[in-house]
Every structure is written in structure tokens, then in C-alpha cells.
């Protein structure tokens, strides 16, 4: 017996796009997907590529599996994630992206490592248990075992607010700087 509103669709090579005020905000593609109409869920698998457009900047996320929950307005993955934009490369053990009704989004990444190339050749490396990025700013907050390292020093802190465009630390809590 089939329950009402329990339609499930299997999709090959799907492309999914979201729009806000007639402008494309994000897109996702994969090899396959399952669209659960009754639960308002889309589960994309195999070579998933999610592109998020934020303030004229594109963020590309690559992972094995991605879950869209249309009721909660969220996208999640518990798989390894690679994130790239024009300012940094980042690897994570998973993420959650939530969007409010005004189109603002918050990206939370877990067990994160990142690298940032500088024009001067002085590369920055960082890691944290959690990174939170709000689409309305150029700052992400690194929480838990936060560390930023360059060729001359290392900062370890409980929390670091880092501007990834200017490559500056905005603030830190319970921090210790060591010269290397």
C-alpha cells in the first residue's frame, strides 16, 4: 500500500539551482540523486559539486554526498568536503549550510584545515574544530583548537575571528602567539 505524498524519484546527472530575487544564488550537480517529494528532501551522491554565490564571490564545495532539506532550508554533508574560492582552499569532515528567509546564509564546517596563498609567497595555514562563516561578511569564526600559522609565527586560541580577504586576525580569545 502506498502512502499519500510519498513519491520518490531517482535522478541521473541532476543539476539543481536556487534563485533569489531572479538571480542564481547556488547550484549543485552530481552523478545521481534521490528526490523524496513527501519529505521535501534531495540527496545527491557521487562527485557532488555545490556552488554558492555570495557577494559577487563564488564558493565551490566538492563532496561525495549532499542532503538538501527544503523544509529547514538547509544543506548538509557528513562526508569529507573540499571548499575553494579565490582566497583559500579548505578541507573539512562535513558541513551544514542554513539559509534564512532573507537569503542570508551561514556555513558551519567541522574539523577544518585550510591553506591560503599570499602574493608574497608567505602562505597561511589554519585549522579548527569548527568554522562558522556568515554570507554577509568576509570573516569566519574559528572555534576550538583554532590555529593560524605562517612562516614566522603560530597563533593558538580557543576562538579566532579571521578576515580571509585581508588575511588579518580580527580578534582572538585565550590566544598564545609563538614565533617560529
Amino acid at each position: 500500500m502506498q502512502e499519500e505524498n510519498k513519491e520518490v524519484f531517482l535522478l541521473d546527472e541532476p543539476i539543481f539551482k536556487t534563485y533569489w530575487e531572479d538571480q542564481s544564488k547556488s547550484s549543485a550537480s552530481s552523478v545521481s540523486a534521490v528526490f523524496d517529494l513527501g519529505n521535501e528532501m534531495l540527496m545527491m551522491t557521487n562527485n557532488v559539486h555545490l556552488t554558492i554565490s555570495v557577494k559577487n564571490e563564488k564558493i565551490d564545495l566538492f563532496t561525495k554526498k549532499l542532503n538538501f532539506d527544503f523544509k529547514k532550508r538547509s544543506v548538509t554533508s557528513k562526508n569529507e568536503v573540499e571548499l575553494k574560492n579565490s582566497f583559500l582552499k579548505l578541507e573539512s569532515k562535513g558541513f551544514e549550510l542554513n539559509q534564512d528567509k532573507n537569503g542570508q546564509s551561514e556555513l558551519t564546517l567541522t574539523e577544518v584545515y585550510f591553506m591560503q596563498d599570499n602574493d608574497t609567497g608567505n602562505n597561511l595555514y589554519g585549522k579548527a574544530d569548527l568554522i562558522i562563516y556568515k554570507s554577509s561578511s568576509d570573516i569566519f569564526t574559528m572555534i576550538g583548537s583554532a590555529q593560524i600559522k605562517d612562516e614566522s609565527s603560530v597563533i593558538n586560541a580557543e576562538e579566532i575571528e579571521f578576515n580571509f580577504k585581508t588575511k588579518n586576525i580580527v580578534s582572538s580569545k585565550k590566544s598564545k602567539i609563538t614565533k617560529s
Side-chain angles (χ1 to χ4, degrees), residues 18 20 23-27 50-61 97 99 103-105 133 135-136:
T18 63
W20 180 256
Q23 293 182 15
S24 178
K25 288 295 278 181
S26 62
S27 65
L50 174 65
T51 301
I52 306 165
S53 297
V54 178
K55 290 172 54 177
N56 300 323
E57 173 72 24
K58 286 192 188 260
I59 298 171
D60 289 300
L61 281 157
L97 175 67
Q99 190 174 45
Q104 296 297 313
S105 55
Y133 168 67
S135 65
S136 57

mmCIF file with all atom_site columns, all heavy atoms in Angstrom, residues 18 20 23-27 50-61 97 99 103-105 133 135-136:
data_model
loop_
_atom_site.group_PDB
_atom_site.id
_atom_site.type_symbol
_atom_site.label_atom_id
_atom_site.label_alt_id
_atom_site.label_comp_id
_atom_site.label_asym_id
_atom_site.label_entity_id
_atom_site.label_seq_id
_atom_site.pdbx_PDB_ins_code
_atom_site.Cartn_x
_atom_site.Cartn_y
_atom_site.Cartn_z
_atom_site.occupancy
_atom_site.B_iso_or_equiv
_atom_site.pdbx_formal_charge
_atom_site.auth_seq_id
_atom_site.auth_comp_id
_atom_site.auth_asym_id
_atom_site.auth_atom_id
_atom_site.pdbx_PDB_model_num
ATOM 1   N N   . THR A 1 18  ? 19.181 27.249 -7.202  1.00 0.00 ? 18  THR A N   1
ATOM 2   C CA  . THR A 1 18  ? 18.294 28.073 -6.377  1.00 0.00 ? 18  THR A CA  1
ATOM 3   C C   . THR A 1 18  ? 18.406 29.516 -6.851  1.00 0.00 ? 18  THR A C   1
ATOM 4   O O   . THR A 1 18  ? 19.451 29.948 -7.346  1.00 0.00 ? 18  THR A O   1
ATOM 5   C CB  . THR A 1 18  ? 18.663 28.005 -4.881  1.00 0.00 ? 18  THR A CB  1
ATOM 6   O OG1 . THR A 1 18  ? 19.972 28.538 -4.695  1.00 0.00 ? 18  THR A OG1 1
ATOM 7   C CG2 . THR A 1 18  ? 18.596 26.585 -4.357  1.00 0.00 ? 18  THR A CG2 1
ATOM 8   N N   . TRP A 1 20  ? 17.287 33.757 -5.958  1.00 0.00 ? 20  TRP A N   1
ATOM 9   C CA  . TRP A 1 20  ? 16.840 34.756 -5.005  1.00 0.00 ? 20  TRP A CA  1
ATOM 10  C C   . TRP A 1 20  ? 16.720 36.064 -5.765  1.00 0.00 ? 20  TRP A C   1
ATOM 11  O O   . TRP A 1 20  ? 17.683 36.527 -6.365  1.00 0.00 ? 20  TRP A O   1
ATOM 12  C CB  . TRP A 1 20  ? 17.834 34.885 -3.847  1.00 0.00 ? 20  TRP A CB  1
ATOM 13  C CG  . TRP A 1 20  ? 17.414 35.895 -2.838  1.00 0.00 ? 20  TRP A CG  1
ATOM 14  C CD1 . TRP A 1 20  ? 17.919 37.159 -2.674  1.00 0.00 ? 20  TRP A CD1 1
ATOM 15  C CD2 . TRP A 1 20  ? 16.373 35.765 -1.868  1.00 0.00 ? 20  TRP A CD2 1
ATOM 16  N NE1 . TRP A 1 20  ? 17.261 37.806 -1.671  1.00 0.00 ? 20  TRP A NE1 1
ATOM 17  C CE2 . TRP A 1 20  ? 16.309 36.974 -1.149  1.00 0.00 ? 20  TRP A CE2 1
ATOM 18  C CE3 . TRP A 1 20  ? 15.496 34.752 -1.531  1.00 0.00 ? 20  TRP A CE3 1
ATOM 19  C CZ2 . TRP A 1 20  ? 15.397 37.189 -0.122  1.00 0.00 ? 20  TRP A CZ2 1
ATOM 20  C CZ3 . TRP A 1 20  ? 14.594 34.978 -0.516  1.00 0.00 ? 20  TRP A CZ3 1
ATOM 21  C CH2 . TRP A 1 20  ? 14.562 36.174 0.178   1.00 0.00 ? 20  TRP A CH2 1
ATOM 22  N N   . GLN A 1 23  ? 17.960 36.083 -9.368  1.00 0.00 ? 23  GLN A N   1
ATOM 23  C CA  . GLN A 1 23  ? 19.379 35.846 -9.615  1.00 0.00 ? 23  GLN A CA  1
ATOM 24  C C   . GLN A 1 23  ? 19.756 34.485 -9.061  1.00 0.00 ? 23  GLN A C   1
ATOM 25  O O   . GLN A 1 23  ? 19.326 34.112 -7.980  1.00 0.00 ? 23  GLN A O   1
ATOM 26  C CB  . GLN A 1 23  ? 20.240 36.919 -8.957  1.00 0.00 ? 23  GLN A CB  1
ATOM 27  C CG  . GLN A 1 23  ? 20.058 38.286 -9.568  1.00 0.00 ? 23  GLN A CG  1
ATOM 28  C CD  . GLN A 1 23  ? 20.981 39.300 -8.916  1.00 0.00 ? 23  GLN A CD  1
ATOM 29  O OE1 . GLN A 1 23  ? 21.918 38.940 -8.221  1.00 0.00 ? 23  GLN A OE1 1
ATOM 30  N NE2 . GLN A 1 23  ? 20.719 40.579 -9.144  1.00 0.00 ? 23  GLN A NE2 1
ATOM 31  N N   . SER A 1 24  ? 20.578 33.764 -9.812  1.00 0.00 ? 24  SER A N   1
ATOM 32  C CA  . SER A 1 24  ? 21.033 32.455 -9.356  1.00 0.00 ? 24  SER A CA  1
ATOM 33  C C   . SER A 1 24  ? 21.908 32.626 -8.119  1.00 0.00 ? 24  SER A C   1
ATOM 34  O O   . SER A 1 24  ? 22.849 33.411 -8.122  1.00 0.00 ? 24  SER A O   1
ATOM 35  C CB  . SER A 1 24  ? 21.831 31.758 -10.464 1.00 0.00 ? 24  SER A CB  1
ATOM 36  O OG  . SER A 1 24  ? 22.307 30.523 -10.008 1.00 0.00 ? 24  SER A OG  1
ATOM 37  N N   . LYS A 1 25  ? 21.572 31.944 -7.029  1.00 0.00 ? 25  LYS A N   1
ATOM 38  C CA  . LYS A 1 25  ? 22.331 32.036 -5.782  1.00 0.00 ? 25  LYS A CA  1
ATOM 39  C C   . LYS A 1 25  ? 23.252 30.834 -5.591  1.00 0.00 ? 25  LYS A C   1
ATOM 40  O O   . LYS A 1 25  ? 24.326 30.958 -5.048  1.00 0.00 ? 25  LYS A O   1
ATOM 41  C CB  . LYS A 1 25  ? 21.389 32.129 -4.575  1.00 0.00 ? 25  LYS A CB  1
ATOM 42  C CG  . LYS A 1 25  ? 20.676 33.448 -4.458  1.00 0.00 ? 25  LYS A CG  1
ATOM 43  C CD  . LYS A 1 25  ? 21.598 34.595 -4.194  1.00 0.00 ? 25  LYS A CD  1
ATOM 44  C CE  . LYS A 1 25  ? 21.960 34.718 -2.741  1.00 0.00 ? 25  LYS A CE  1
ATOM 45  N NZ  . LYS A 1 25  ? 22.819 35.822 -2.432  1.00 0.00 ? 25  LYS A NZ  1
ATOM 46  N N   . SER A 1 26  ? 22.791 29.665 -6.027  1.00 0.00 ? 26  SER A N   1
ATOM 47  C CA  . SER A 1 26  ? 23.625 28.475 -5.883  1.00 0.00 ? 26  SER A CA  1
ATOM 48  C C   . SER A 1 26  ? 23.178 27.418 -6.877  1.00 0.00 ? 26  SER A C   1
ATOM 49  O O   . SER A 1 26  ? 22.074 27.469 -7.412  1.00 0.00 ? 26  SER A O   1
ATOM 50  C CB  . SER A 1 26  ? 23.550 27.937 -4.447  1.00 0.00 ? 26  SER A CB  1
ATOM 51  O OG  . SER A 1 26  ? 22.241 27.552 -4.134  1.00 0.00 ? 26  SER A OG  1
ATOM 52  N N   . SER A 1 27  ? 24.074 26.466 -7.096  1.00 0.00 ? 27  SER A N   1
ATOM 53  C CA  . SER A 1 27  ? 23.734 25.341 -7.952  1.00 0.00 ? 27  SER A CA  1
ATOM 54  C C   . SER A 1 27  ? 24.451 24.114 -7.428  1.00 0.00 ? 27  SER A C   1
ATOM 55  O O   . SER A 1 27  ? 25.464 24.216 -6.743  1.00 0.00 ? 27  SER A O   1
ATOM 56  C CB  . SER A 1 27  ? 24.133 25.617 -9.407  1.00 0.00 ? 27  SER A CB  1
ATOM 57  O OG  . SER A 1 27  ? 25.535 25.718 -9.518  1.00 0.00 ? 27  SER A OG  1
ATOM 58  N N   . LEU A 1 50  ? 28.813 21.693 -5.346  1.00 0.00 ? 50  LEU A N   1
ATOM 59  C CA  . LEU A 1 50  ? 27.894 22.744 -4.919  1.00 0.00 ? 50  LEU A CA  1
ATOM 60  C C   . LEU A 1 50  ? 28.587 24.088 -5.101  1.00 0.00 ? 50  LEU A C   1
ATOM 61  O O   . LEU A 1 50  ? 29.706 24.283 -4.632  1.00 0.00 ? 50  LEU A O   1
ATOM 62  C CB  . LEU A 1 50  ? 27.504 22.556 -3.446  1.00 0.00 ? 50  LEU A CB  1
ATOM 63  C CG  . LEU A 1 50  ? 26.666 23.643 -2.783  1.00 0.00 ? 50  LEU A CG  1
ATOM 64  C CD1 . LEU A 1 50  ? 25.289 23.746 -3.414  1.00 0.00 ? 50  LEU A CD1 1
ATOM 65  C CD2 . LEU A 1 50  ? 26.547 23.387 -1.287  1.00 0.00 ? 50  LEU A CD2 1
ATOM 66  N N   . THR A 1 51  ? 27.951 25.003 -5.811  1.00 0.00 ? 51  THR A N   1
ATOM 67  C CA  . THR A 1 51  ? 28.475 26.355 -5.991  1.00 0.00 ? 51  THR A CA  1
ATOM 68  C C   . THR A 1 51  ? 27.530 27.319 -5.292  1.00 0.00 ? 51  THR A C   1
ATOM 69  O O   . THR A 1 51  ? 26.332 27.313 -5.554  1.00 0.00 ? 51  THR A O   1
ATOM 70  C CB  . THR A 1 51  ? 28.576 26.731 -7.483  1.00 0.00 ? 51  THR A CB  1
ATOM 71  O OG1 . THR A 1 51  ? 29.433 25.788 -8.133  1.00 0.00 ? 51  THR A OG1 1
ATOM 72  C CG2 . THR A 1 51  ? 29.150 28.122 -7.664  1.00 0.00 ? 51  THR A CG2 1
ATOM 73  N N   . ILE A 1 52  ? 28.097 28.135 -4.394  1.00 0.00 ? 52  ILE A N   1
ATOM 74  C CA  . ILE A 1 52  ? 27.313 29.121 -3.655  1.00 0.00 ? 52  ILE A CA  1
ATOM 75  C C   . ILE A 1 52  ? 27.799 30.503 -4.075  1.00 0.00 ? 52  ILE A C   1
ATOM 76  O O   . ILE A 1 52  ? 28.994 30.790 -4.013  1.00 0.00 ? 52  ILE A O   1
ATOM 77  C CB  . ILE A 1 52  ? 27.503 28.951 -2.131  1.00 0.00 ? 52  ILE A CB  1
ATOM 78  C CG1 . ILE A 1 52  ? 27.195 27.522 -1.703  1.00 0.00 ? 52  ILE A CG1 1
ATOM 79  C CG2 . ILE A 1 52  ? 26.648 29.943 -1.364  1.00 0.00 ? 52  ILE A CG2 1
ATOM 80  C CD1 . ILE A 1 52  ? 27.696 27.178 -0.317  1.00 0.00 ? 52  ILE A CD1 1
ATOM 81  N N   . SER A 1 53  ? 26.889 31.367 -4.498  1.00 0.00 ? 53  SER A N   1
ATOM 82  C CA  . SER A 1 53  ? 27.242 32.740 -4.866  1.00 0.00 ? 53  SER A CA  1
ATOM 83  C C   . SER A 1 53  ? 26.942 33.651 -3.685  1.00 0.00 ? 53  SER A C   1
ATOM 84  O O   . SER A 1 53  ? 25.816 33.722 -3.222  1.00 0.00 ? 53  SER A O   1
ATOM 85  C CB  . SER A 1 53  ? 26.430 33.195 -6.078  1.00 0.00 ? 53  SER A CB  1
ATOM 86  O OG  . SER A 1 53  ? 26.754 32.398 -7.183  1.00 0.00 ? 53  SER A OG  1
ATOM 87  N N   . VAL A 1 54  ? 27.995 34.327 -3.213  1.00 0.00 ? 54  VAL A N   1
ATOM 88  C CA  . VAL A 1 54  ? 27.869 35.216 -2.069  1.00 0.00 ? 54  VAL A CA  1
ATOM 89  C C   . VAL A 1 54  ? 28.613 36.511 -2.372  1.00 0.00 ? 54  VAL A C   1
ATOM 90  O O   . VAL A 1 54  ? 29.810 36.486 -2.626  1.00 0.00 ? 54  VAL A O   1
ATOM 91  C CB  . VAL A 1 54  ? 28.485 34.570 -0.798  1.00 0.00 ? 54  VAL A CB  1
ATOM 92  C CG1 . VAL A 1 54  ? 28.397 35.501 0.384   1.00 0.00 ? 54  VAL A CG1 1
ATOM 93  C CG2 . VAL A 1 54  ? 27.839 33.252 -0.490  1.00 0.00 ? 54  VAL A CG2 1
ATOM 94  N N   . LYS A 1 55  ? 27.906 37.642 -2.353  1.00 0.00 ? 55  LYS A N   1
ATOM 95  C CA  . LYS A 1 55  ? 28.545 38.953 -2.532  1.00 0.00 ? 55  LYS A CA  1
ATOM 96  C C   . LYS A 1 55  ? 29.513 38.969 -3.719  1.00 0.00 ? 55  LYS A C   1
ATOM 97  O O   . LYS A 1 55  ? 30.678 39.296 -3.581  1.00 0.00 ? 55  LYS A O   1
ATOM 98  C CB  . LYS A 1 55  ? 29.283 39.359 -1.259  1.00 0.00 ? 55  LYS A CB  1
ATOM 99  C CG  . LYS A 1 55  ? 28.378 39.698 -0.105  1.00 0.00 ? 55  LYS A CG  1
ATOM 100 C CD  . LYS A 1 55  ? 29.125 39.902 1.184   1.00 0.00 ? 55  LYS A CD  1
ATOM 101 C CE  . LYS A 1 55  ? 30.225 40.931 1.056   1.00 0.00 ? 55  LYS A CE  1
ATOM 102 N NZ  . LYS A 1 55  ? 30.912 41.196 2.305   1.00 0.00 ? 55  LYS A NZ  1
ATOM 103 N N   . ASN A 1 56  ? 29.061 38.593 -4.896  1.00 0.00 ? 56  ASN A N   1
ATOM 104 C CA  . ASN A 1 56  ? 29.881 38.557 -6.116  1.00 0.00 ? 56  ASN A CA  1
ATOM 105 C C   . ASN A 1 56  ? 31.080 37.619 -6.015  1.00 0.00 ? 56  ASN A C   1
ATOM 106 O O   . ASN A 1 56  ? 32.034 37.734 -6.765  1.00 0.00 ? 56  ASN A O   1
ATOM 107 C CB  . ASN A 1 56  ? 30.359 39.966 -6.511  1.00 0.00 ? 56  ASN A CB  1
ATOM 108 C CG  . ASN A 1 56  ? 29.203 40.894 -6.771  1.00 0.00 ? 56  ASN A CG  1
ATOM 109 O OD1 . ASN A 1 56  ? 28.179 40.484 -7.310  1.00 0.00 ? 56  ASN A OD1 1
ATOM 110 N ND2 . ASN A 1 56  ? 29.358 42.148 -6.375  1.00 0.00 ? 56  ASN A ND2 1
ATOM 111 N N   . GLU A 1 57  ? 31.066 36.714 -5.077  1.00 0.00 ? 57  GLU A N   1
ATOM 112 C CA  . GLU A 1 57  ? 32.127 35.724 -4.897  1.00 0.00 ? 57  GLU A CA  1
ATOM 113 C C   . GLU A 1 57  ? 31.496 34.340 -4.982  1.00 0.00 ? 57  GLU A C   1
ATOM 114 O O   . GLU A 1 57  ? 30.427 34.109 -4.435  1.00 0.00 ? 57  GLU A O   1
ATOM 115 C CB  . GLU A 1 57  ? 32.788 35.928 -3.527  1.00 0.00 ? 57  GLU A CB  1
ATOM 116 C CG  . GLU A 1 57  ? 33.794 34.884 -3.134  1.00 0.00 ? 57  GLU A CG  1
ATOM 117 C CD  . GLU A 1 57  ? 35.087 34.978 -3.920  1.00 0.00 ? 57  GLU A CD  1
ATOM 118 O OE1 . GLU A 1 57  ? 35.417 36.055 -4.429  1.00 0.00 ? 57  GLU A OE1 1
ATOM 119 O OE2 . GLU A 1 57  ? 35.767 33.947 -4.013  1.00 0.00 ? 57  GLU A OE2 1
ATOM 120 N N   . LYS A 1 58  ? 32.178 33.437 -5.668  1.00 0.00 ? 58  LYS A N   1
ATOM 121 C CA  . LYS A 1 58  ? 31.678 32.060 -5.757  1.00 0.00 ? 58  LYS A CA  1
ATOM 122 C C   . LYS A 1 58  ? 32.489 31.159 -4.838  1.00 0.00 ? 58  LYS A C   1
ATOM 123 O O   . LYS A 1 58  ? 33.705 31.253 -4.784  1.00 0.00 ? 58  LYS A O   1
ATOM 124 C CB  . LYS A 1 58  ? 31.770 31.550 -7.188  1.00 0.00 ? 58  LYS A CB  1
ATOM 125 C CG  . LYS A 1 58  ? 30.724 32.142 -8.082  1.00 0.00 ? 58  LYS A CG  1
ATOM 126 C CD  . LYS A 1 58  ? 30.675 31.406 -9.399  1.00 0.00 ? 58  LYS A CD  1
ATOM 127 C CE  . LYS A 1 58  ? 29.762 32.121 -10.342 1.00 0.00 ? 58  LYS A CE  1
ATOM 128 N NZ  . LYS A 1 58  ? 28.481 31.583 -10.472 1.00 0.00 ? 58  LYS A NZ  1
ATOM 129 N N   . ILE A 1 59  ? 31.775 30.314 -4.108  1.00 0.00 ? 59  ILE A N   1
ATOM 130 C CA  . ILE A 1 59  ? 32.402 29.301 -3.263  1.00 0.00 ? 59  ILE A CA  1
ATOM 131 C C   . ILE A 1 59  ? 32.037 27.953 -3.867  1.00 0.00 ? 59  ILE A C   1
ATOM 132 O O   . ILE A 1 59  ? 30.864 27.672 -4.102  1.00 0.00 ? 59  ILE A O   1
ATOM 133 C CB  . ILE A 1 59  ? 31.884 29.381 -1.808  1.00 0.00 ? 59  ILE A CB  1
ATOM 134 C CG1 . ILE A 1 59  ? 32.222 30.733 -1.191  1.00 0.00 ? 59  ILE A CG1 1
ATOM 135 C CG2 . ILE A 1 59  ? 32.454 28.242 -0.974  1.00 0.00 ? 59  ILE A CG2 1
ATOM 136 C CD1 . ILE A 1 59  ? 31.574 30.975 0.160   1.00 0.00 ? 59  ILE A CD1 1
ATOM 137 N N   . ASP A 1 60  ? 33.037 27.125 -4.138  1.00 0.00 ? 60  ASP A N   1
ATOM 138 C CA  . ASP A 1 60  ? 32.810 25.791 -4.685  1.00 0.00 ? 60  ASP A CA  1
ATOM 139 C C   . ASP A 1 60  ? 33.078 24.750 -3.616  1.00 0.00 ? 60  ASP A C   1
ATOM 140 O O   . ASP A 1 60  ? 34.136 24.765 -2.980  1.00 0.00 ? 60  ASP A O   1
ATOM 141 C CB  . ASP A 1 60  ? 33.724 25.540 -5.890  1.00 0.00 ? 60  ASP A CB  1
ATOM 142 C CG  . ASP A 1 60  ? 33.323 26.350 -7.102  1.00 0.00 ? 60  ASP A CG  1
ATOM 143 O OD1 . ASP A 1 60  ? 32.190 26.172 -7.561  1.00 0.00 ? 60  ASP A OD1 1
ATOM 144 O OD2 . ASP A 1 60  ? 34.141 27.157 -7.579  1.00 0.00 ? 60  ASP A OD2 1
ATOM 145 N N   . LEU A 1 61  ? 32.111 23.860 -3.412  1.00 0.00 ? 61  LEU A N   1
ATOM 146 C CA  . LEU A 1 61  ? 32.227 22.748 -2.461  1.00 0.00 ? 61  LEU A CA  1
ATOM 147 C C   . LEU A 1 61  ? 32.156 21.438 -3.242  1.00 0.00 ? 61  LEU A C   1
ATOM 148 O O   . LEU A 1 61  ? 31.295 21.281 -4.112  1.00 0.00 ? 61  LEU A O   1
ATOM 149 C CB  . LEU A 1 61  ? 31.074 22.770 -1.465  1.00 0.00 ? 61  LEU A CB  1
ATOM 150 C CG  . LEU A 1 61  ? 31.153 23.759 -0.319  1.00 0.00 ? 61  LEU A CG  1
ATOM 151 C CD1 . LEU A 1 61  ? 29.773 24.047 0.210   1.00 0.00 ? 61  LEU A CD1 1
ATOM 152 C CD2 . LEU A 1 61  ? 32.005 23.202 0.784   1.00 0.00 ? 61  LEU A CD2 1
ATOM 153 N N   . LEU A 1 97  ? 24.844 24.112 5.833   1.00 0.00 ? 97  LEU A N   1
ATOM 154 C CA  . LEU A 1 97  ? 24.554 25.419 5.288   1.00 0.00 ? 97  LEU A CA  1
ATOM 155 C C   . LEU A 1 97  ? 23.086 25.708 5.527   1.00 0.00 ? 97  LEU A C   1
ATOM 156 O O   . LEU A 1 97  ? 22.223 24.948 5.099   1.00 0.00 ? 97  LEU A O   1
ATOM 157 C CB  . LEU A 1 97  ? 24.856 25.443 3.778   1.00 0.00 ? 97  LEU A CB  1
ATOM 158 C CG  . LEU A 1 97  ? 24.494 26.713 3.016   1.00 0.00 ? 97  LEU A CG  1
ATOM 159 C CD1 . LEU A 1 97  ? 25.370 27.880 3.466   1.00 0.00 ? 97  LEU A CD1 1
ATOM 160 C CD2 . LEU A 1 97  ? 24.649 26.486 1.519   1.00 0.00 ? 97  LEU A CD2 1
ATOM 161 N N   . GLN A 1 99  ? 19.962 28.714 5.410   1.00 0.00 ? 99  GLN A N   1
ATOM 162 C CA  . GLN A 1 99  ? 19.593 29.983 4.794   1.00 0.00 ? 99  GLN A CA  1
ATOM 163 C C   . GLN A 1 99  ? 18.320 30.511 5.442   1.00 0.00 ? 99  GLN A C   1
ATOM 164 O O   . GLN A 1 99  ? 17.364 29.763 5.623   1.00 0.00 ? 99  GLN A O   1
ATOM 165 C CB  . GLN A 1 99  ? 19.386 29.784 3.296   1.00 0.00 ? 99  GLN A CB  1
ATOM 166 C CG  . GLN A 1 99  ? 19.232 31.068 2.531   1.00 0.00 ? 99  GLN A CG  1
ATOM 167 C CD  . GLN A 1 99  ? 19.175 30.823 1.037   1.00 0.00 ? 99  GLN A CD  1
ATOM 168 O OE1 . GLN A 1 99  ? 18.484 29.935 0.582   1.00 0.00 ? 99  GLN A OE1 1
ATOM 169 N NE2 . GLN A 1 99  ? 19.919 31.615 0.298   1.00 0.00 ? 99  GLN A NE2 1
ATOM 170 N N   . GLY A 1 103 ? 17.520 35.312 2.478   1.00 0.00 ? 103 GLY A N   1
ATOM 171 C CA  . GLY A 1 103 ? 18.563 34.876 1.565   1.00 0.00 ? 103 GLY A CA  1
ATOM 172 C C   . GLY A 1 103 ? 19.961 34.888 2.163   1.00 0.00 ? 103 GLY A C   1
ATOM 173 O O   . GLY A 1 103 ? 20.930 34.567 1.487   1.00 0.00 ? 103 GLY A O   1
ATOM 174 N N   . GLN A 1 104 ? 20.087 35.275 3.443   1.00 0.00 ? 104 GLN A N   1
ATOM 175 C CA  . GLN A 1 104 ? 21.393 35.247 4.108   1.00 0.00 ? 104 GLN A CA  1
ATOM 176 C C   . GLN A 1 104 ? 21.692 33.815 4.539   1.00 0.00 ? 104 GLN A C   1
ATOM 177 O O   . GLN A 1 104 ? 20.805 33.109 5.009   1.00 0.00 ? 104 GLN A O   1
ATOM 178 C CB  . GLN A 1 104 ? 21.409 36.176 5.329   1.00 0.00 ? 104 GLN A CB  1
ATOM 179 C CG  . GLN A 1 104 ? 21.230 37.634 4.989   1.00 0.00 ? 104 GLN A CG  1
ATOM 180 C CD  . GLN A 1 104 ? 22.348 38.170 4.130   1.00 0.00 ? 104 GLN A CD  1
ATOM 181 O OE1 . GLN A 1 104 ? 23.519 37.944 4.398   1.00 0.00 ? 104 GLN A OE1 1
ATOM 182 N NE2 . GLN A 1 104 ? 21.989 38.872 3.064   1.00 0.00 ? 104 GLN A NE2 1
ATOM 183 N N   . SER A 1 105 ? 22.948 33.405 4.392   1.00 0.00 ? 105 SER A N   1
ATOM 184 C CA  . SER A 1 105 ? 23.271 32.030 4.751   1.00 0.00 ? 105 SER A CA  1
ATOM 185 C C   . SER A 1 105 ? 24.422 31.971 5.752   1.00 0.00 ? 105 SER A C   1
ATOM 186 O O   . SER A 1 105 ? 25.222 32.892 5.868   1.00 0.00 ? 105 SER A O   1
ATOM 187 C CB  . SER A 1 105 ? 23.599 31.219 3.497   1.00 0.00 ? 105 SER A CB  1
ATOM 188 O OG  . SER A 1 105 ? 24.623 31.827 2.762   1.00 0.00 ? 105 SER A OG  1
ATOM 189 N N   . TYR A 1 133 ? 30.929 30.607 8.959   1.00 0.00 ? 133 TYR A N   1
ATOM 190 C CA  . TYR A 1 133 ? 31.029 31.700 8.001   1.00 0.00 ? 133 TYR A CA  1
ATOM 191 C C   . TYR A 1 133 ? 29.631 32.205 7.673   1.00 0.00 ? 133 TYR A C   1
ATOM 192 O O   . TYR A 1 133 ? 28.773 31.436 7.265   1.00 0.00 ? 133 TYR A O   1
ATOM 193 C CB  . TYR A 1 133 ? 31.733 31.228 6.721   1.00 0.00 ? 133 TYR A CB  1
ATOM 194 C CG  . TYR A 1 133 ? 31.616 32.203 5.579   1.00 0.00 ? 133 TYR A CG  1
ATOM 195 C CD1 . TYR A 1 133 ? 32.240 33.443 5.643   1.00 0.00 ? 133 TYR A CD1 1
ATOM 196 C CD2 . TYR A 1 133 ? 30.870 31.893 4.455   1.00 0.00 ? 133 TYR A CD2 1
ATOM 197 C CE1 . TYR A 1 133 ? 32.112 34.349 4.609   1.00 0.00 ? 133 TYR A CE1 1
ATOM 198 C CE2 . TYR A 1 133 ? 30.743 32.792 3.410   1.00 0.00 ? 133 TYR A CE2 1
ATOM 199 C CZ  . TYR A 1 133 ? 31.368 34.013 3.484   1.00 0.00 ? 133 TYR A CZ  1
ATOM 200 O OH  . TYR A 1 133 ? 31.238 34.910 2.466   1.00 0.00 ? 133 TYR A OH  1
ATOM 201 N N   . SER A 1 135 ? 27.356 34.637 5.282   1.00 0.00 ? 135 SER A N   1
ATOM 202 C CA  . SER A 1 135 ? 27.483 35.146 3.915   1.00 0.00 ? 135 SER A CA  1
ATOM 203 C C   . SER A 1 135 ? 27.562 36.664 3.831   1.00 0.00 ? 135 SER A C   1
ATOM 204 O O   . SER A 1 135 ? 28.002 37.203 2.836   1.00 0.00 ? 135 SER A O   1
ATOM 205 C CB  . SER A 1 135 ? 26.319 34.653 3.061   1.00 0.00 ? 135 SER A CB  1
ATOM 206 O OG  . SER A 1 135 ? 25.104 35.192 3.522   1.00 0.00 ? 135 SER A OG  1
ATOM 207 N N   . SER A 1 136 ? 27.169 37.356 4.870   1.00 0.00 ? 136 SER A N   1
ATOM 208 C CA  . SER A 1 136 ? 27.152 38.816 4.834   1.00 0.00 ? 136 SER A CA  1
ATOM 209 C C   . SER A 1 136 ? 28.506 39.449 5.164   1.00 0.00 ? 136 SER A C   1
ATOM 210 O O   . SER A 1 136 ? 28.624 40.663 5.192   1.00 0.00 ? 136 SER A O   1
ATOM 211 C CB  . SER A 1 136 ? 26.094 39.345 5.796   1.00 0.00 ? 136 SER A CB  1
ATOM 212 O OG  . SER A 1 136 ? 26.363 38.862 7.097   1.00 0.00 ? 136 SER A OG  1
#
